[in-house]
């Protein structure tokens, strides 16, 4: 996975709560068996006026949608309201965000599975209190695009001349993001421990190890 | 120290703590399907890794396949991209030696229907699947999590899930439940009460007499939608009904091992003095059948209520969401929900496509006709075995005579990855679990209801009060 230390970029304000993964990447794009190519269909039903399909070109952009606003064309930090990423477990949602160019999502809260999927891919989810998020919304919605700095090492978000805001993240996720570690490799270091557990588990619950049908 | 059921399953599967401080949880059962597994298998191949333990895995195909005639198998899938996805699962299961119920297998079905039906879901297990509705399996007292594709790969390679322990929430359901309502109405009422993020960071345990009185099918319906309340897992205690449901299922233990397992399971429940971080009381005694009117599963009202207005909510974010939902759903505040005209009806999904759901819907449809304004009324059984059982009971004939379409098993119009879908502007009463924008088709509008309400609504041609049809 990609590591995340420090990122500076334009903030795009997506003023919606409960943004679900069906919106982030609609179902028709989940038919792909690849890991790439999702960025162009991020928020497809909101970003475009015509109905999207895999491989469709010459799309009609929706001028009302914030990602299509010229101020935010190069944005890499997404700002949203509470419960971002609720719904389906599709990791395609995180792939779509990253492949579009988003490196960090700031919101008051995130859905659990989405949060894990972010950390497993090197996209940084930053939970901030509602009132702080509201302040950033104001700053990011002015005529000049807002640039913010997200510093994972020090767990701080800084923008304009305002005081930096600290955010929380569990130490394990922080470490994995900072170092971009191979998650499976890390667990496989514990192979002996897992084998030992497995033998014990089979003794206490043998019925879980009978390959029945 | 007294422990909850969640604590106990967690403790008995806790392998250890990794260098980075995160916990490793051993996984007993891993369910796979075509949408969230291809990139995981690809990852394994690229890293030259092998599945850790083959017999823990079980795969089936459900999301992308058509629900019309399937006699030609994968070759008969008209959509080339969907066909490729199913072919890739066929190849992966073959080359990795994963047990697989393919399109032509009579046991194929929606993964969350198949697991319990096969007895591949057992009490006290940890279960994962690359699908958020894995919470369904919690109805058996199993700790079941939805996971992303990286985690699918991780579980395949290591038999462990990296987890942080969640908090314990108790949802105490106060009854009795009246006969016009079912498990679906209960869970819709719950999400309305606590919101779509109400249980974020928690594992829910449902308790109270109402839960004990429900069949396993009904319990699965409730656990299924735990994710819609933000919980990654929902759980229910283990009792005689759980045991009776599982006995003699193909994957369930047999003989002496069965008795040993049952003894263990029945002792696994939450200790009477265990502590929950959060407790929610839900009173269903006066509950009316529930209907979602908006674009997330907390935007729910009773069948005898009117569509709300954004002014009804003081919370700014909620008021804004309500305003957008009204616009998307093309509804006017103050409209009685029972006057809303429909185009389509869908009875199916991992929430409500089990035999009991079909029986409930059929009991309403029997001897009646689908209204002429309904373009399609689909009944999509949850699995090949549910379909067969329903046909043995003659339910297929009841539906067909009433004007419903009787389909092959799969996810179908729950998420419309195949051709079963809403077209722009169409409105549907659906027994599925998500009413998000476009979920059932681009610009489609979904109203979540119980199977009985869906059947009554097909007959009425509008969202119906099932109490008039009992
Ligand atoms: S029926 Fe719907 S919710 Fe259930 S697994 Fe299929 S798509 Fe997901």
């Amino acid at each position: 996975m990609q590591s995340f230390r420090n990122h500076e970029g334009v903030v795009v304000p997506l003023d919606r709560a409960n943004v679900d993964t069906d919106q982030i990447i609609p179902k028709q794009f989940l038919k792909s068996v690849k890991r790439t190519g999702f960025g162009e269909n991020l928020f497809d039903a909101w970003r475009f006026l015509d109905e999207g399909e895999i491989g469709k070109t010459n799309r009609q952009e929706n001028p009302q949608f914030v990602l299509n606003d010229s101020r935010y064309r190069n944005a890499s930090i997404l700002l949203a309201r509470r419960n971002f990423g609720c719904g389906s477990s599709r990791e395609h949602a995180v792939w779509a965000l990253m492949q579009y160019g988003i490196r960090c999502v700031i919101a008051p809260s995130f859905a659990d599975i989405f949060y894990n999927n972010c950390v497993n891919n090197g996209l940084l989810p930053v939970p901030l209190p509602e009132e702080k998020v509201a302040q950033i919304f104001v700053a990011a919605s002015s005529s000049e695009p807002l640039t913010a700095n997200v510093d994972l090492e020090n767990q701080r978000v800084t923008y304009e001349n305002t005081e930096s805001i600290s955010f929380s993240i569990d130490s394990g996720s922080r470490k994995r993001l900072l170092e971009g570690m191979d998650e499976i490799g890390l667990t496989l270091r514990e192979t002996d421990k897992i084998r030992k557990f497995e033998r014990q588990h089979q003794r206490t619950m043998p019925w879980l190890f009978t390959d029945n049908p | 120290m007294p422990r909850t059921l969640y604590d106990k399953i967690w403790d008995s599967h806790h392998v250890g703590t990794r260098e980075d401080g995160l916990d490793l949880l051993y996984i007993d059962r891993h369910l796979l399907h075509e949408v969230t597994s291809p990139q995981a298998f690809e990852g394994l191949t690229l890293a030259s890794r092998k599945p850790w333990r083959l017999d823990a895995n079980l795969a089936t195909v459900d999301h992308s396949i058509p629900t019309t005639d399937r006699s030609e198998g994968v070759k008969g899938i008209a959509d080339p991209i969907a066909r490729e996805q199913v072919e890739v699962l066929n190849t992966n299961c073959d080359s990795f030696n994963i047990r697989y119920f393919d399109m032509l297998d009579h046991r194929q079905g929606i993964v969350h229907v198949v697991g319990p039906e096969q007895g591949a879901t057992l009490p006290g297990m940890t279960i994962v699947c690359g699908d958020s509705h894995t919470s369904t399996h919690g109805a058996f007292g199993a700790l079941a999590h939805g996971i992303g594709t990286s985690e699918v790969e991780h579980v395949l390679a290591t038999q462990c899930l990296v987890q942080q322990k969640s908090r314990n929430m108790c949802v105490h359901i106060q009854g009795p439940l009246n006969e016009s309502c079912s498990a679906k109405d209960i869970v819709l009422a719950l999400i309305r009460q606590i919101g779509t993020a109400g249980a974020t960071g928690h594992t829910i345990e449902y308790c109270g007499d109402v839960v004990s009185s429900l069949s396993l099918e009904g319990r699965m319906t409730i656990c299924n939608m735990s994710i819609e309340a933000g919980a990654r897992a929902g759980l229910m205690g283990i009792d005689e009904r759980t045991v009776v449901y599982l006995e003699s299922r193909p994957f369930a233990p047999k003989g002496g091992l069965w008795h040993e397992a049952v003894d263990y399971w029945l002792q696994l429940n939450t200790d009477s003095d265990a502590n929950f971080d959060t407790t929610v009381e839900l009173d269903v005694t006066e509950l009316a059948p529930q209907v979602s009117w908006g674009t997330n599963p907390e935007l729910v009202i009773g069948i005898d209520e009117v569509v709300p207005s954004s002014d009804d909510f003081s919370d700014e974010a909620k008021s804004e969401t309500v305003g957008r939902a009204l616009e998307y759903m093309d509804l006017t505040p103050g409209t009685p929900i029972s006057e809303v005209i429909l185009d389509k009806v869908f009875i199916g999904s991992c929430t409500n496509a089990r035999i009991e759901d079909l029986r409930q819907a059929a009991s309403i449809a029997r001897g009646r006709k689908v209204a002429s304004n309904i373009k399609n009324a689909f009944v999509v059984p949850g699995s090949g075995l549910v379909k067969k059982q329903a046909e043995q009971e003659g339910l297929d004939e009841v539906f067909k005579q009433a004007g419903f379409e009787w389909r092959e098993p799969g996810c179908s119009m729950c998420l419309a990855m195949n051709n079963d879908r809403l077209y722009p502007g169409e409105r549907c009463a659906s027994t599925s679990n998500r009413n998000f924008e476009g979920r059932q088709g681009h610009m489609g509008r979904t109203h979540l209801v119980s199977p009985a309400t869906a059947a009554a609504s097909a007959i009425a041609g509008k969202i119906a009060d099932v109490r008039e049809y009992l």
Side-chain angles (χ1 to χ4, degrees):
Chain A
M1 72 177 246
Q2 208 173 330
S3 64
F4 190 110
R5 285 190 167 264
N6 191 305
H7 177 80
E8 191 156 280
V10 171
V11 182
V12 52
L14 176 63
D15 196 356
R16 297 184 196 200
N18 301 305
V19 172
D20 59 81
T21 52
D22 274 82
Q23 304 318 317
I24 301 174
I25 185 83
K27 77 310 230 44
Q28 62 268 41
F29 306 106
L30 308 188
K31 284 187 275 194
S32 167
V33 294
K34 304 194 186 76
R35 213 179 247 275
T36 52
F38 296 101
E40 56 206 70
N41 301 110
L42 175 72
F43 294 122
D44 199 88
W46 289 345
R47 238 167 98 203
F48 302 102
L49 294 169
D50 55 331
E51 184 179 352
E53 280 302 333
I54 292 182
K56 189 172 176 186
T57 49
N58 289 330
R59 305 293 306 280
Q60 278 168 265
E61 275 193 359
N62 174 5
Q64 308 293 332
F65 187 56
V66 68
L67 260 68
N68 294 330
D69 186 316
S70 58
R71 282 175 292 175
Y72 308 121
R73 285 280 175 184
N74 297 318
S76 54
I77 300 173
L78 181 67
L79 180 70
R81 303 286 181 181
R82 71 175 86 136
N83 198 27
F84 189 87
C86 60
S88 149
S89 65
R90 58 186 76 165
E91 198 160 313
H92 313 63
V94 173
W95 301 334
L97 285 162
M98 291 191 77
Q99 289 160 18
Y100 176 88
I102 302 294
R103 293 290 288 125
C104 166
V105 183
I106 302 175
S109 58
F110 295 88
D112 290 342
I113 303 178
F114 178 81
Y115 186 94
N116 279 0
N117 287 344
C118 285
V119 173
N120 285 331
N121 285 275
L123 179 70
L124 177 66
V126 174
L128 292 181
E130 297 234 356
E131 63 281 4
K132 299 285 181 201
V133 169
Q135 282 167 18
I136 310 178
F137 261 101
V138 173
S141 307
S142 71
S143 55
E144 280 301 305
L146 174 74
T147 299
N149 182 282
V150 183
D151 176 357
L152 177 57
E153 270 183 302
N154 299 305
Q155 296 178 221
R156 301 207 146 264
V157 176
T158 320
Y159 64 97
E160 287 176 343
N161 309 325
T162 21
E163 234 175 277
S164 67
I165 313 165
S166 70
F167 64 88
S168 64
I169 181 168
D170 66 273
S171 60
S173 301
R174 178 173 172 276
K175 191 163 174 216
R176 280 146 75 201
L177 280 160
L178 284 173
E179 296 178 19
M181 289 189 278
D182 165 23
E183 190 67 17
I184 296 176
L186 209 59
T187 299
L188 286 176
R189 286 189 207 166
E190 313 285 344
T191 293
D192 291 347
K193 218 188 252 178
I194 304 172
R195 290 267 175 241
K196 189 163 163 246
F197 174 87
E198 198 168 45
R199 283 193 297 273
Q200 174 62 35
H201 194 48
Q202 182 161 9
R203 277 195 292 275
T204 40
M205 295 184 219
W207 57 87
L208 296 176
F209 292 81
T210 52
D211 194 6
N212 265 296
Chain B
M1 200 168 103
R3 293 179 299 163
T4 64
L5 177 55
Y6 171 62
D7 296 335
K8 292 180 187 182
I9 303 178
W10 173 276
D11 291 348
S12 64
H13 289 79
H14 188 247
V15 174
T17 307
R18 227 171 45 170
E19 278 174 15
D20 58 3
L22 292 167
D23 290 306
L24 286 177
L25 207 59
Y26 186 82
I27 300 303
D28 297 316
R29 179 69 68 206
H30 184 197
L31 303 165
L32 298 116
H33 63 81
E34 75 275 29
V35 178
T36 54
S37 68
Q39 298 87 352
F41 282 115
E42 187 193 48
L44 284 188
T45 308
L46 287 175
S48 308
R49 287 176 175 139
K50 286 201 165 51
W52 179 282
R53 195 185 133 202
L54 283 175
D55 67 341
N57 298 286
L58 174 64
T60 191
V61 58
D62 52 7
H63 285 66
S64 301
I65 53 173
T67 57
T68 45
D69 175 40
R70 296 213 289 240
S71 50
E72 283 186 65
V74 64
K75 286 191 210 69
I77 305 180
D79 175 352
I81 308 173
R83 194 189 322 129
E84 190 196 349
Q85 189 166 57
V86 177
E87 277 166 353
V88 167
L89 182 62
N90 291 355
T91 312
N92 282 330
C93 289
D94 200 41
S95 51
F96 285 92
N97 224 348
I98 304 276
R99 187 163 28 207
Y100 177 38
F101 298 165
D102 69 12
M103 251 178 100
L104 294 172
D105 195 301
H106 67 286
R107 298 164 297 180
Q108 171 273 337
I110 305 172
V111 66
H112 310 307
V113 176
V114 169
E117 182 175 78
Q118 289 296 320
T121 297
L122 294 174
M125 264 186 170
T126 48
I127 302 177
V128 295
C129 173
D131 192 285
S132 58
H133 290 100
T134 308
S135 58
T136 312
H137 307 263
F140 292 83
L143 178 58
H145 291 122
I147 57 178
T149 297
S150 297
E151 291 170 316
V152 170
E153 185 181 337
H154 190 278
V155 171
L156 278 169
T158 70
Q159 213 53 47
C160 290
L161 183 68
V162 182
Q163 268 282 331
Q164 273 188 302
K165 198 170 178 207
S166 42
R167 276 163 290 175
N168 279 292
M169 173 184 278
C170 170
V171 171
H172 182 257
I173 306 172
Q174 177 73 43
L177 183 68
N178 60 74
E179 61 151 18
S180 67
C181 289
S182 67
K184 182 64 164 288
D185 301 293
I186 296 178
V187 72
L188 287 172
L190 172 69
I191 302 164
R192 175 189 190 176
Q193 183 175 317
I194 70 174
T196 52
T200 303
H202 291 81
T203 292
I204 300 177
E205 181 172 338
Y206 299 93
C207 49
D209 292 345
V210 175
V211 175
S212 324
S213 73
L214 289 172
S215 66
L216 269 292
E217 281 85 354
R219 296 183 194 181
M220 283 190 260
T221 300
I222 293 181
C223 286
N224 173 276
M225 289 192 71
S226 304
I227 181 73
E228 260 58 65
R232 206 171 171 185
L235 275 172
M236 286 174 181
I238 302 143
D239 61 12
E240 276 304 321
R241 283 189 185 212
T242 324
V243 174
V244 168
Y245 179 100
L246 289 169
E247 192 164 11
S248 318
R249 303 257 166 194
F251 284 62
K254 309 278 173 337
L257 219 46
W258 166 258
H259 295 291
E260 207 185 310
V262 170
D263 288 346
Y264 176 82
W265 296 338
L266 292 173
Q267 287 180 19
L268 199 59
N269 290 318
T270 292
D271 297 327
S272 55
D273 45 356
N275 178 52
F276 286 90
D277 301 285
T278 316
T279 299
V280 170
E281 292 288 338
L282 178 73
D283 186 348
V284 298
T285 38
E286 305 282 318
L287 195 67
Q290 302 288 297
V291 190
S292 79
W293 65 266
T295 53
N296 74 48
E298 77 179 50
L299 302 179
V300 165
I301 51 179
I303 187 68
D304 35 22
E305 294 177 57
V306 300
V307 174
S309 140
S310 48
D311 301 337
D312 299 345
F313 301 90
S314 54
D315 178 276
E316 205 180 313
K318 176 113 186 197
S319 169
E320 156 90 27
T321 302
V322 165
R324 287 189 48 82
L326 285 167
E327 194 184 322
Y328 183 87
M329 295 296 289
D330 190 28
L331 290 172
T332 312
T335 310
I337 195 72
S338 60
E339 285 176 9
V340 173
I341 309 287
L342 298 167
D343 301 296
K344 289 185 175 168
V345 171
F346 173 62
I347 298 175
S349 90
C350 58
T351 314
N352 281 131
R354 296 180 183 82
I355 190 68
E356 184 183 278
D357 303 311
L358 302 189
R359 286 183 192 137
Q360 285 168 4
S363 76
I364 304 289
R366 192 179 299 276
R368 295 187 168 114
K369 289 277 179 223
V370 171
S372 58
N373 61 304
I374 299 294
K375 296 178 207 164
N376 303 101
F378 285 157
V379 184
V380 186
S383 71
L385 294 177
V386 169
K387 182 166 187 260
K388 191 167 145 208
Q389 171 76 29
E391 287 172 354
Q392 277 166 1
E393 296 178 19
L395 305 184
D396 57 326
E397 285 306 319
V398 172
F399 286 121
K400 284 191 260 186
Q401 279 167 20
F404 288 85
E405 294 171 50
W406 180 247
R407 295 297 190 103
E408 297 297 323
C411 296
S412 180
M413 212 160 72
C414 172
L415 94 165
M417 273 184 76
N418 64 8
N419 272 333
D420 309 343
R421 60 176 72 175
L422 301 180
Y423 291 99
E426 285 182 341
R427 188 183 293 282
C428 179
S430 175
T431 65
S432 55
N433 42 53
R434 289 192 174 132
N435 50 349
F436 298 146
E437 291 182 20
R439 170 80 178 180
Q440 296 195 288
H442 186 64
M443 303 300 290
R445 300 177 177 128
T446 301
H447 294 276
L448 303 174
V449 293
S450 72
T453 296
S457 301
I459 307 298
K462 62 187 182 78
I463 296 174
D465 188 338
V466 68
R467 293 173 291 194
E468 294 162 17
Y469 292 79
L470 291 174

